[in-house]
Amino acid sequence: MTGRAARSLTGRVLVVLALVAIVPAVTVGAIAIWRARASLETEVVRGNLALIRALGASLDARLQSARRALEIAAGTWADPRTAQTARDADPAPVRRLLRRLRRHEPLLASVAIYDVDGQPIEGDTLPIDATAGAHAFGGYIGDVTFVDGTPRVRVVTQARSRTGELVGVFAAQLDLGFISEALASARLGPGARLLVVDGDGVPVARSDGAPAAGARSLRGVHPAVDRALGSATEGSIEAGGVVSVYRNLATYQSLRGIRWALILDQPAADAYALAHETTRTTVAGVVGALALALVVGFAFATRLTRPLRALAARADAIADRDQPEPKPPIRGPGEIGALAERIEQMAGRIAERARLKDALARGDRLAAVGTMAASIAHEINNPLTTVLGYAKLLQEGKPDDDPDLPGLQLIAEESERMQAKVRALLDYSRSDTAGAPDPDTASCDVNDLVDKTIALVGPVLHKRRIQVHTQLASPLPRVRCDAHSLQQVFVNLANNAADAMADGGELIVATQLGPAAATVHVTFDDTGPGVPDADRDRIFDPFYTTKGAGAGTGLGLAVVRHLVARCGGQVTVEPGARGRGARFRVVLPIEE
């Protein structure tokens, strides 16, 4: 099948599946969006109306409680004995009555008693024409006024005796600050606000915390205010992107005489957010269905051509590489699957042949190392033995304070260390460990070896402007390893860090007890360029080096891994602790 034919088949299947998926999805989605919008509009209006009904009933209860308290006090004062006492100019009982009234009803900001002629008898001074109560049943007088930014309303009630005779008038100012608190505590939807206006459309209280004092009338500005003050019932209106519900407080029978209105505004975007979310979800569902149809169609149309293209690409990859990378098996129907299986078997045989070739090359290199090590041992070991023997001979008979004694001791120690390095190189080149120290009996102090290593390589590090810091945990148990081998490990790691920081840097050598106190960890942190991810798995292989030509043999880290493994430990490399450089970690078992 040609590429053009495959693309043609894929395109046709995609078009058919897209049409099959999108037509029913769009139809069902449009119906769902329309029904959700209609239902939500009804529920929003219904819910908001229920809220302002409950709030209006609560406000009515508070106001009527104050009115009833005032009426009860007026009835008590109109009792013949109390009224006679007042006329006898004994104010004590009346004052007690007013004090009880103020304690019982905190909404009463001020209270005053007038006689039938409008003359004050007792109480506060109120700017009220009290005679208005002598010619009417009594009730609220005027609209809201603001005193020190707090809304107040005036109310009067008649004081009549048991025979119905008018004996006086009680006048009071009610503190309406509780209305703002009630509005602010109401649980509103997103973006919603509550508003109480008087008969002139002037705000009395708001739920958004905006001051009502000094506000202008909303008549002619807010459509819901005009509708509410001109209606005797409740209702709703949507204008200017705002959904408003309202209720005239005159609809509460107990509030006759008050021409106030309660209004709840909410942006249509917030009120109908669920409908918008339904719209978005439906559209996303339609798009998802279309995308799924396209994906399924593409997978179906290319089911036969894709395995063939994959096999062609796999064959090219095998031809370009001596050792092809492992890949997931290619699946295909019938003969295509059988062909894919044969190609993978061929790739496996090629990879196995490449691995055998690498193993043979490594064996040749190790054989060369063995030959070289034997030659070095033969050529160097005898002179070293002579130097060591003469050094020990010269030490004999010298007093402890002889100035030459430290130098002779250093010559002897370094000769012994060079012999140990030659033995380690020979051990690495052999397949067995004959002649190696017994790991079950050899042990050493890690902190002591770190100090000796730093003293030994200190001149090299100082010459390269490398600052060395040690962080040695103490006390540490002895580890199960030969001291000469472990010192060679530390020297190699320190020299490796020095090579990485040719222009100066910082080297931190730290020791600590490992988890469960079963191992000791030694870390070498440098601030060099670090080890790339691609090199971390091969950096310990023999003859592998990232240094330039002539700068390294690739045996240093290989010897380190060999010596550490012979002690039963392991060595790893990871990024530096401060986000730069490299950290070599040596994990050693402790002496049991």
Side-chain angles (χ1 to χ4, degrees), residues 287-298:
V287 174
L290 178 60
L292 180 61
L294 294 177
V295 171
V296 172
F298 183 79

Side-chain angles (χ1 to χ4, degrees), residues 306-315 327-332 336-341 343-344:
R306 180 178 294 173
L308 293 176
R309 290 194 293 269
L311 287 175
R314 182 64 170 150
K327 296 286 186 179
I330 300 173
R331 305 296 183 185
I336 296 178
L339 177 61
E341 183 179 354
I343 290 180
E344 290 303 321

Side-chain angles (χ1 to χ4, degrees), residues 67-321:
R67 279 192 61 181
R68 284 193 294 271
L70 192 64
E71 290 172 354
I72 292 172
T76 302
W77 180 84
D79 183 88
R81 292 171 296 177
T82 306
Q84 182 63 39
T85 301
R87 284 189 289 270
D88 292 342
D90 183 4
V94 179
R95 290 176 180 173
R96 286 195 297 271
L97 175 64
L98 294 180
R99 284 197 298 270
R100 288 197 302 270
L101 178 60
R102 290 190 180 95
R103 285 196 304 269
H104 174 73
E105 186 49 65
L107 294 188
L108 297 174
S110 56
V111 182
I113 304 175
Y114 297 86
D115 61 16
V116 293
D117 297 323
Q119 298 300 317
I121 296 176
E122 189 59 55
D124 303 312
T125 300
L126 294 176
I128 295 177
D129 183 6
T131 58
H135 306 292
F137 179 76
Y140 297 96
I141 300 176
D143 286 315
V144 174
T145 59
F146 285 87
V147 178
D148 296 331
T150 302
R152 294 185 179 180
V153 66
R154 293 166 290 180
V155 62
V156 299
T157 187
Q158 297 174 347
R160 293 182 178 272
S161 65
R162 295 178 182 177
T163 61
E165 178 187 2
L166 180 64
V167 297
V169 175
F170 270 57
Q173 274 193 340
L174 301 185
D175 187 344
L176 302 182
F178 76 96
I179 298 180
S180 297
E181 298 174 0
L183 299 186
S185 62
R187 299 182 62 180
L188 304 177
R193 68 165 185 172
L194 283 166
L195 183 68
V196 175
V197 298
D198 64 11
D200 292 328
V202 177
V204 176
R206 309 165 66 108
S207 63
D208 56 8
R216 296 181 179 180
S217 173
L218 298 179
R219 278 187 177 274
V221 177
H222 197 308
V225 172
D226 297 333
R227 185 75 65 87
L229 295 179
S231 173
T233 58
E234 63 187 17
S236 65
I237 183 174
E238 182 175 350
V242 177
V243 179
S244 302
V245 295
Y246 57 85
R247 177 155 183 160
N248 194 315
L249 296 187
T251 58
Y252 294 96
Q253 294 182 1
S254 59
L255 288 177
R256 57 186 176 275
I258 297 183
R259 299 181 299 124
W260 301 349
L262 181 61
I263 301 166
L264 190 152
D265 294 331
Q266 188 174 17
D270 293 325
Y272 304 142
L274 182 58
H276 298 158
E277 181 63 26
T278 302
T279 301
R280 289 192 294 269
T281 303
T282 304
V283 172
V286 171
V287 174
L290 178 60
L292 180 61
L294 294 177
V295 171
V296 172
F298 183 79
F300 178 75
T302 58
R303 184 171 182 269
L304 295 178
T305 58
R306 180 178 294 173
L308 293 176
R309 290 194 293 269
L311 287 175
R314 182 64 170 150
D316 292 339
I318 294 174
D320 293 339
R321 294 174 177 266

Side-chain angles (χ1 to χ4, degrees), residues 375-448:
S375 176
I376 291 175
H378 179 74
E379 297 296 334
I380 296 179
N381 197 47
N382 288 337
L384 284 177
T385 302
T386 302
V387 172
L388 179 62
Y390 273 100
K392 291 185 176 295
L393 180 64
L394 291 175
Q395 292 181 48
E396 294 180 359
K398 288 187 178 294
D400 294 339
D401 58 351
D402 190 290
D404 296 332
L405 189 59
L408 294 173
Q409 291 176 346
L410 181 61
I411 292 173
E413 290 176 357
E414 291 302 303
S415 298
E416 291 176 349
R417 191 168 68 84
M418 292 178 65
Q419 286 182 333
K421 287 185 177 182
V422 171
R423 286 196 301 270
L425 188 60
L426 286 172
D427 291 341
Y428 182 77
S429 65
R430 296 197 300 266
S431 59
D432 56 13
T433 57
D438 185 359
D440 294 330
T441 59
S443 66
C444 60
D445 186 331
V446 171
N447 288 344
D448 182 57

